[in-house]
Amino acid sequence: MPTHPVSKVVVVGGGIFGVSSAVHLSRLGIETILINDGPLASGASGRSLAWLNSARMRSAEYHQLRMIGIDRYRTLSAKYPDAAWLRFDGGLTWDADDASNEILEALAHEKSLGYDARHLLAGDIPSATPGIATSAVTRQGAIFNPGEGWVDLPSLIKLLVAEFVERGGQLVTDAGRATVTLATGRTTGVATERGATFAADAVLLATGSDVPRTVAQTGQHIPDGTPIALLVRTKPVALPLRAVLNTPRVAVRPTPDGALVLDSAWSEEEVIVNPDGTYGVKASTLQGLLDEASKVLEGNPELELESYGVGPKPIPGDGEPVFGRLKGTEGYYVAFSHSGATLGLIAGELHADEMDTGNEHPLLAKFRPTRFG
């Protein structure tokens, strides 16, 4: 059922979903205020592997949305062909040499979708993509996806926010936690814990792992599968690596300044969550990630720690995105999903379109919060 188009929107959240939505709204001439609790990109967008992909298995609708998301980055890449912060140099993945190895099944699935996927044995890899220690590749081989890439989200957010402000958008950072204000079944705006209030016809809540908790205040439930993630950044190192690597013990991608960022499933599990809600990371976990990355890189270079980020990685309970308007609450929209990088541009575009036209976009049909009842 169409809602009424809006003339003024408050977007809460200074990560890629919030910033992308805000700039798309401003392009449509809609008065928009973008609010963040702290600095921009201070949450999950600032500590994301930011791999642009639709690899492996997922629902057909999710794959379609991801592919359209990648398309928007292709358009952006054509506009900024020399950007160091957006690269399409492919992705290379291999699995452990045990019963969990699904490389051939994943390859068959990707090929069945027309996803560009090539099966490479260790000896084939150097001619396809440089910088990999081929001795680390398991006997079942690897999948090379030439169409994949990566984006440095803080750099992209900075670019988009500059356009947003230039178009007359209002930016409010370090606002503290924001509350969506409601009256008679509709959104009236936002109030911050610093005492500021912002009236609006519609609010988009794009606060990452805080979305389910905030939405619960309306009596609606969004299942939450958010883990605590760790992203390690190395000091710059001279390496020929260009692709994003996803290997059994570590994921690796280059950065605009010649460093690497690293994450893994096992290192997430070693993060210590303190009683006061802060996080602890053991030196052995950080060194372990550096060591695992060295093993998969050509020449096994010595990698040094530059910094790390730790905190929630937003993932809905069923693994699929949660996008669109809340049921029974006029003007209250949410954006909560894994794969924020891949979906960032298209999610912002579609949310802005829905607010501008009042019509629900068919691409978001499967991902609405109403699916949770």
Side-chain angles (χ1 to χ4, degrees), residues 7 10 12 15 48 56 58 79 100 111 144 151 212 216-217 219 246 254 326 328 341 350 365:
S7 59
V10 175
V12 186
S48 169
R56 299 285 180 152
R58 55 183 53 80
K79 185 176 180 181
S100 71
K111 283 184 166 294
F144 183 54
V151 61
Q217 295 164 0
N246 279 272
L326 291 181
L350 296 181

Side-chain angles (χ1 to χ4, degrees), residues 88-94 116-132 134 137 141-148 240-245 298:
F88 281 101
D89 294 316
L92 185 75
T93 183
W94 66 88
D116 196 352
R118 304 172 192 179
H119 185 227
L120 303 178
L121 297 176
D124 306 323
I125 289 172
S127 61
T129 187
I132 287 88
T134 55
V137 179
I143 298 173
F144 183 54
N145 302 110
E148 294 178 354
L241 181 73
R242 297 173 69 82
V244 180
L245 301 186
E298 184 178 76

Side-chain angles (χ1 to χ4, degrees), residues 3 28 42 90 116 132 189 205 208 237 241 278 285 323 331 340 345 364 367:
T3 59
L28 294 169
S42 55
D116 196 352
I132 287 88
L205 188 69
V237 56
L241 181 73
T278 58
T285 303
F323 291 147
L345 296 179
L364 300 185
F367 307 118

Side-chain angles (χ1 to χ4, degrees), residues 32 76 84 93 155 179 203 205 245 267 281 295 302 310 337 372:
T32 307
L76 188 68
T93 183
S155 298
T179 304
V203 173
L205 188 69
L245 301 186
S267 57
V281 181
K295 290 175 189 174
E302 184 176 345
V310 61
S337 183
F372 302 118

Side-chain angles (χ1 to χ4, degrees), residues 1 22 24 107-108 114 119 127 140 144 197 220 242 264 301 322 349:
M1 175 176 142
H24 278 99
L107 179 76
H119 185 227
S127 61
Q140 297 86 348
F144 183 54
T197 58
Q220 299 187 53
R242 297 173 69 82
S264 74
V322 184
E349 179 184 324

